[in-house]
Amino acid sequence: MRIRSLLSTVLFLMGCNEHKVDTKAEGERLMELSREWSRSAATDSIEKTLSYWADDAIVMSPGQPPIKGKKAIREMVEGTSKIPGFKISWEPLSVAVAKSGDIAYMIEQNQITVNDSLGIPHSEFNKGVTIWRKETDGSWKNIVDMWNSAPSREK
């Protein structure tokens, strides 16, 4: 009888300690983090731009093989910085955070601009999905970054 009472008390206390995640607040935090990352990508700070990806992240861009891991992603970012007129920016459109609060995804749109052979800038508009993981230190890191072409825009 005593053991049953003790067990009931322990189970009750464990239930009281269940951590509720404010998924709305985490989502707002991620939307702002994505905007911050986009602003960073518009600068020459490769280190800052890389800091948003997890060490085991994967980038999947149109027509290219997957780029796996921070070292390969660094090479990609350094390579794009050498493309004449290269610019990238994006805007998150929506976010969904898991009830557990440790993983989320965003639907985003981006714009990539490069100069053609005459030096005239041309932009490409894309839609994408990013997947984020909450790290043990509480920070969010991008683990999957994937996009493809959006339907043509009217001019």
Side-chain angles (χ1 to χ4, degrees):
M1 184 74 149
R2 217 176 162 153
I3 292 175
R4 188 181 306 168
S5 177
L6 180 62
L7 184 58
S8 294
T9 302
V10 168
L11 290 174
F12 173 77
L13 291 174
M14 285 174 61
C16 291
N17 283 338
E18 188 176 305
H19 178 66
K20 287 266 187 178
V21 175
D22 185 344
T23 57
K24 184 177 181 201
E26 289 294 330
E28 289 169 1
R29 181 176 165 201
L30 276 164
M31 295 282 278
E32 183 51 39
L33 189 63
S34 179
R35 290 181 185 108
E36 180 185 296
W37 190 13
S38 178
R39 289 188 297 271
S40 172
T43 71
D44 290 332
S45 177
I46 290 174
E47 294 307 317
K48 178 73 173 164
T49 300
L50 286 169
S51 73
Y52 293 88
W53 276 293
D55 290 340
D56 60 344
I58 184 168
V59 174
M60 294 185 279
S61 56
Q64 300 296 316
I67 299 168
K68 298 178 182 179
K70 194 96 107 6
K71 181 178 184 238
I73 293 171
R74 172 185 293 282
E75 291 170 6
M76 176 201 67
V77 171
E78 289 172 347
T80 59
S81 71
K82 295 173 184 162
I83 297 171
F86 179 84
K87 294 178 191 166
I88 186 168
S89 64
W90 60 87
E91 179 65 26
L93 302 175
S94 65
V95 63
V97 178
K99 288 180 184 179
S100 60
D102 60 351
I103 198 154
Y105 72 87
M106 278 191 261
I107 304 298
E108 299 179 303
Q109 60 186 13
N110 72 34
Q111 177 178 343
I112 299 172
T113 303
V114 296
N115 292 348
D116 68 13
S117 60
L118 300 174
I120 299 169
H122 290 277
S123 295
E124 167 184 303
F125 299 90
N126 302 289
K127 58 191 182 312
V129 174
T130 55
I131 301 174
W132 296 75
R133 178 179 63 217
K134 194 170 207 179
E135 303 294 292
T136 55
D137 67 358
S139 67
W140 285 96
K141 297 291 182 180
N142 178 269
I143 58 173
V144 177
D145 189 351
M146 182 174 157
W147 68 95
N148 62 18
S149 296
S152 298
R153 291 187 175 191
E154 291 185 27
K155 296 181 182 188

